[in-house]
Amino acid sequence: MIRASGTEYGRMALALLDRVPDPMESLVHAFEAAADDLAAADYADACPIGTVALEVASSNEVLRVATAEVFEERVGTATRWFGRWVALPETVQSLA
């Protein structure tokens, strides 16, 4: 469940980033949309994977590994996204 929902959440974020062609405007758009969603939910529904990771990282190895894999997947996706505009791998990794 963690891996599947993490992957889906990542797809939604990438789709949000891809709605605006300019990378700077895209980031602003994505963060504003995320902020609007958080405010609309009265800050009750933040990142579901992050919430699970914070709750179980020190007590449940299976869930810790699953959430770590989701975050690794997100970093990989962000690295590929930033790589569209940034040539230096170190800079891309830093941005991701």
Side-chain angles (χ1 to χ4, degrees), residues 54-68:
L54 289 170
E55 292 292 325
V56 303
S58 64
S59 62
N60 187 313
E61 183 66 9
V62 172
L63 290 176
R64 187 197 66 74
V65 168
T67 56

Side-chain angles (χ1 to χ4, degrees), residues 22-53:
D22 178 84
M24 293 300 291
E25 290 177 20
S26 179
L27 288 169
V28 170
H29 171 73
F31 277 93
E32 286 177 348
D36 291 345
D37 287 348
L38 279 171
D42 200 25
Y43 302 92
D45 295 320
C47 174
I49 306 305
T51 302
V52 172

Side-chain angles (χ1 to χ4, degrees), residues 1 16 19-20 24 27 34 37 43 52 60 73-74 93:
M1 179 68 148
L16 190 58
R19 285 185 188 160
V20 179
M24 293 300 291
L27 288 169
D37 287 348
Y43 302 92
V52 172
N60 187 313
E73 179 181 320
R74 288 183 184 174
Q93 186 65 31

Side-chain angles (χ1 to χ4, degrees), residues 75 78-79 82-83 86-96:
V75 170
T79 299
F82 281 110
V86 179
L88 295 173
E90 314 82 50
T91 304
V92 170
Q93 186 65 31
S94 167
L95 290 168

